[in-house]
């Protein structure tokens, strides 16, 4: 009798667990807009969720520690004139988030560390260049202030958020609606999927499609694609019979898939979330009530099923915490933020270990918050891998850093002479605006403190009267 050999992997026993009820975020009116984005973005400081809003688009930003019931008057981030379709935190500044909307604009916001007293309505900068709705956002993984957007006009625009300028516009590569865009680890290539059923690998700086594969999945429903750390492309899509399917491809040989697996007949698009440190892919289907996870290795069958986390409630969206925001003392290797109709629930993925010591094998050095390049360096052709940090002593998010926007003077065509000015006119007005807003907040807080002081004095007087009465 032959004995079945079990594949050795430290991630074979990874298990998922929903956080306790008091760790969830309750009473949030999650957006009902029909769009296949995750509706949720999270970093080590904040949780952002696209919400229902009358007369425009909005999202809510909560400090991670603000669990429990959210006040119905909690300030929102409002500014778009139509529904918000996608949000994405800047990987190099935990206080900066970008939002894309049906109103054709992208807005970049500075989120303060304190809770604002009223809605945030003024973005740092508004980026206008698309002619139709903007549904996809993705920050460059290693270059400072570089943001990608993809719209219903079938155009991909790469922006320098620090100046508001368009760095690159890829407007003749996709004949139909773009379903997904993903950078590789150093931001030199893009993987895109499109309604024309073609998977493309694009060099954005050369403006060239360097490889493509038609009908990586034969079904008509939307496909998703992401890069793995080995340089392969992982895809999710549908068969001709509308079964969900996952695939692994080598861009140097797109003829045959490295792996292709059929899954089930559900009709929700599978959103892939990839952890490059552990090489685990988590698949979350919109409308599903489960998260399936797989390990990608160099051994056949290359994509190894690990397990499924199941729950009763279907998910409306999902946020995925960057590695630096996890609790290494509990051997946590992933944390999701599952959106229900009226709440957000953390789901924690853990590797069971008996030791309380730091587990080096689970936590290799991981991308930190420092960019490796400036925007103009990347545009000129330089590439750099992410700047890595160790999680041995845990990660403490840096203090609030303000994003400075310096718009170029488009009227002045003369070459710059002499030393560069340290501050432009728009920079000064931005600082003035920030100063006025801060003064307003301080005044409102002072009024609150004054009211509290008066209340304390009144209570002290009542106490004195009661003591005198008993004497």
């Amino acid at each position: 009798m032959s004995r079945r050999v079990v594949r050795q992997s430290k991630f074979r026993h990874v298990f998922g667990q929903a956080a306790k009820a008091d760790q969830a975020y309750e009473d949030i009116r999650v957006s009902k807009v029909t769009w296949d984005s995750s509706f949720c973005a999270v970093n080590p400081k904040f949780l952002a969720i696209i919400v229902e809003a009358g007369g425009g688009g909005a999202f809510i930003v909560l400090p991670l520690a603000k669990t429990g019931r959210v006040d119905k008057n909690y300030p929102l981030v409002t500014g778009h004139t139509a529904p918000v379709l996608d949000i994405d935190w800047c990987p190099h500044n935990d206080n900066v988030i970008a939002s894309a909307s049906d109103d054709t604009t992208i807005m970049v916001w500075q989120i303060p560390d304190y809770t604002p007293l009223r809605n945030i309505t003024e973005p740092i900068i508004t980026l206008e260049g698309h002619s139709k709705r903007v549904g996809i956002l993705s920050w460059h993984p290693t270059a400072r202030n570089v943001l990608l957007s993809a719209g219903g006009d079938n155009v991909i625009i790469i922006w320098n958020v620090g100046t508001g300028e368009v760095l690159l516009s890829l407007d003749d590569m996709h004949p139909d609606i773009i379903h997904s865009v993903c950078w590789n680890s150093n931001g030199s290539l893009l993987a895109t999927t499109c309604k024309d059923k073609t998977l493309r690998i694009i060099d954005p700086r050369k403006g060239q499609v360097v490889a493509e594969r038609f009908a990586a999945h034969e079904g008509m429903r939307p496909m998703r694609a992401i890069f793995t750390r080995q340089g392969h492309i992982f895809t999710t899509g549908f068969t001709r019979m509308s079964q969900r399917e996952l695939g692994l491809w080598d861009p140097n040989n797109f003829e045959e898939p490295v792996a292709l697996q059929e899954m089930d007949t559900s009709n929700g698009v599978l959103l892939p979330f990839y952890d490059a440190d552990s090489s685990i892919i988590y698949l979350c289907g919109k409308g599903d009530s489960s998260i399936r996870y797989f390990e990608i290795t160099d051994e056949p069958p290359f994509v190894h099923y690990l397990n499924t986390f199941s729950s009763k409630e279907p998910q409306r969206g999902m946020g995925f915490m960057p590695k630096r925001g996890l609790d290494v003392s509990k051997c946590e290797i992933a944390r999701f933020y599952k959106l229900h109709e009226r709440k957000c629930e953390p789901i924690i993925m853990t590797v069971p270990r008996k030791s309380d010591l730091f587990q080096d094998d689970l936590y290799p050095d991981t991308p930190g918050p420092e960019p490796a390049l400036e925007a103009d360096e990347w545009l000129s052709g330089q590439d750099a891998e992410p700047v890595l940090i160790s999680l041995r002593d845990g990660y403490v998010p840096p203090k609030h850093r303000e994003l400075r926007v310096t718009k170029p003077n488009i009227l002045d065509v003369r070459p710059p002479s002499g030393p560069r000015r340290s501050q432009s006119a728009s920079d000064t007005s931005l600082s003035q605006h920030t100063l006025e807003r801060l003064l307003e907040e301080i005044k409102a807080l002072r009024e609150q403190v004054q009211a509290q002081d008066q209340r304390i004095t009144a209570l002290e007087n009542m106490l004195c009267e009661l003591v005198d009465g008993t004497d």
Side-chain angles (χ1 to χ4, degrees), residues 44 46 103 142 154 161 185 218 242 263 271 294 331 389 444 464:
F46 298 107
D103 66 9
T142 63
N154 312 337
V161 173
S185 64
E218 294 185 342
S242 291
M263 295 193 34
L271 304 177
F294 300 78
C331 296
I389 58 169
C464 290

Side-chain angles (χ1 to χ4, degrees), residues 431-461:
S431 300
Q432 187 65 34
H433 173 76
T434 308
L435 193 65
E436 285 170 7
R437 200 179 74 216
L438 284 172
L439 287 169
E440 223 176 284
E441 297 280 357
I442 290 165
K443 187 182 170 189
L445 285 168
R446 277 211 178 110
E447 285 169 4
Q448 282 184 7
V449 170
Q450 209 172 347
Q452 296 288 354
D453 282 346
Q454 288 170 355
R455 175 78 178 139
I456 289 165
T457 307
L459 288 169
E460 282 173 344
N461 291 339

Side-chain angles (χ1 to χ4, degrees), residues 405-408 421-429:
V405 177
T406 311
K407 290 187 182 176
R421 284 189 306 165
S422 62
Q423 209 176 30
S424 73
S426 70
D427 207 4
T428 311
S429 64

Side-chain angles (χ1 to χ4, degrees), residues 197-393:
K197 291 167 66 171
T198 303
L199 165 64
R200 294 174 175 85
I201 310 300
I202 296 170
D203 183 327
R205 289 168 298 192
K206 290 181 180 170
Q208 290 177 356
V209 177
V210 295
E212 62 182 1
R213 161 77 200 212
F214 177 70
H217 300 281
E218 294 185 342
M220 288 303 297
R221 304 221 51 227
M223 183 165 58
R224 288 279 188 279
I226 54 173
F227 278 97
T228 70
R229 71 177 182 202
Q230 294 92 347
H232 288 156
I233 310 292
F234 180 90
T235 58
T236 64
F238 293 80
T239 66
R240 197 176 284 148
M241 302 302 290
S242 291
Q243 276 200 300
R244 293 199 291 199
E245 192 174 46
L246 60 83
L248 189 66
W249 305 83
D250 181 352
N252 299 316
N253 178 18
F254 260 151
E255 291 304 308
E256 288 296 320
V258 177
L260 198 63
Q261 293 180 24
E262 285 186 12
M263 295 193 34
D264 56 25
T265 52
S266 183
N267 60 4
V269 173
L270 284 168
L271 304 177
F273 296 94
Y274 179 59
D275 173 18
D277 296 344
S278 60
S279 212
I280 295 179
I281 292 254
Y282 301 87
L283 299 182
C284 309
K286 274 203 152 182
D288 289 9
S289 53
S290 62
I291 301 171
R292 292 187 186 88
Y293 39 108
F294 300 78
E295 186 178 358
I296 297 177
T297 71
D298 298 328
E299 306 158 12
F302 305 106
V303 181
H304 306 268
Y305 171 74
L306 290 173
N307 210 336
T308 300
F309 167 80
S310 296
S311 57
K312 291 176 185 172
E313 297 289 323
Q315 52 230 17
R316 298 278 297 276
M318 196 70 82
F320 186 51
M321 176 66 81
K323 205 61 172 278
R324 58 197 169 91
L326 303 181
D327 187 345
V328 297
S329 67
K330 293 179 180 166
C331 296
E332 185 183 357
I333 61 158
R335 192 188 314 149
F336 290 91
Y337 286 77
K338 173 182 171 177
L339 299 187
H340 298 244
E341 199 169 323
R342 300 279 303 190
K343 74 170 182 179
C344 175
E345 173 187 46
I347 293 165
I348 293 149
M349 299 287 177
T350 308
V351 176
R353 291 277 167 99
K354 289 177 181 173
S355 170
D356 290 336
L357 299 173
F358 179 72
Q359 306 291 310
D360 303 72
D361 60 327
L362 297 184
Y363 301 106
D365 289 356
T366 195
E370 288 304 317
L373 293 171
E374 296 299 328
D376 51 356
E377 291 174 329
W378 176 79
L379 188 63
S380 71
Q382 290 185 47
D383 289 321
E385 293 300 320
V387 178
L388 304 181
I389 58 169
S390 169
L391 297 179
R392 179 173 289 278
D393 301 316

